[in-house]
Amino acid sequence: MKKHKYLIALLLALALALTGCAGGAADAPALSPQASAAPAPSVTQRGAPSAEAQTPSAQASQAQPEASAQPAPSSAGQGAKVTPARSAAQAPSNSAPAASAAPTPAATPVPTPAPTPTPEKQTVSCSVAIDTTAAAKAGLCKNNALLGATRVELPKGSSVYDALRAAAGSISVAKQGSGSRVYVTGIGGISEGDAGGQSGWMYSVNGAYVQKSCGAQIVQEGDRIVWRYTTNSGKDIGGGV
């Protein structure tokens, strides 16, 4: 009986020993290939720069994979939604599409209105005066003038006789004949022959005496007409016949 207990205890101890060896092997740290494969550090001369220090590009090439391997931290923080940037072709354009230039229609020339003809004046104006200087010298009147220069407006085609009648007003005018053959015999009560056989009335237009009937002389715009009494067929008034 004691032998059986001893064998059982021995088997248990052996089993525990085997179990402990297996567990120790499992817990032992495995050697990394890099540690086993790492070469022994070389001894460099003091003061002499190493090959890596003389070539900065080698350090940059060795450090670059580590920098590229780690993702860049997001400035938006955790949980921020990252929106991929759109390419220039996908980005919407805020500007309106350029409108196609429409052809400018040709300007229609505005017809120039024809100038309105100015209606022709249908009247003429002239001045009329009645001079009695010679008659006053002959004692036929007291005044040297019956009428100072008076402007009158007449229809076109009026005669010197028409102008005299228009200017005389209340002054009496005596005549013989009519139309283009009219002859003035007296003005203001002073008549032909009152101062002798060569006395009577004569008229001038713009300073010149006219030797024709006052009914035949047509008035022009701006004419200056003067009637004068003469006692010597015009010699005494500067218009001798």
Side-chain angles (χ1 to χ4, degrees), residues 34-162:
Q34 293 180 356
S36 60
S42 60
V43 180
T44 58
Q45 187 177 355
R46 184 177 182 182
S50 63
E52 293 181 356
Q54 293 179 6
T55 54
S57 61
Q59 295 181 359
S61 62
Q62 291 178 2
Q64 186 173 359
E66 296 180 1
S68 61
Q70 296 182 1
S74 173
S75 60
Q78 293 183 355
K81 185 177 179 181
V82 179
T83 304
R86 295 185 179 180
S87 62
Q90 295 177 347
S93 175
N94 293 329
S95 60
S100 59
T104 303
T108 303
V110 179
T112 303
T116 304
T118 304
E120 186 178 358
K121 188 178 178 182
Q122 298 301 315
T123 59
V124 292
S125 63
C126 64
S127 64
V128 179
I130 301 173
D131 186 352
T132 56
T133 300
K137 287 180 179 181
L140 300 177
C141 64
K142 296 180 180 181
N143 298 323
N144 291 334
L146 284 177
L147 180 69
T150 302
R151 182 165 294 279
V152 292
E153 192 84 13
L154 302 169
K156 258 189 172 182
S158 298
S159 65
V160 170
Y161 175 74
D162 296 330

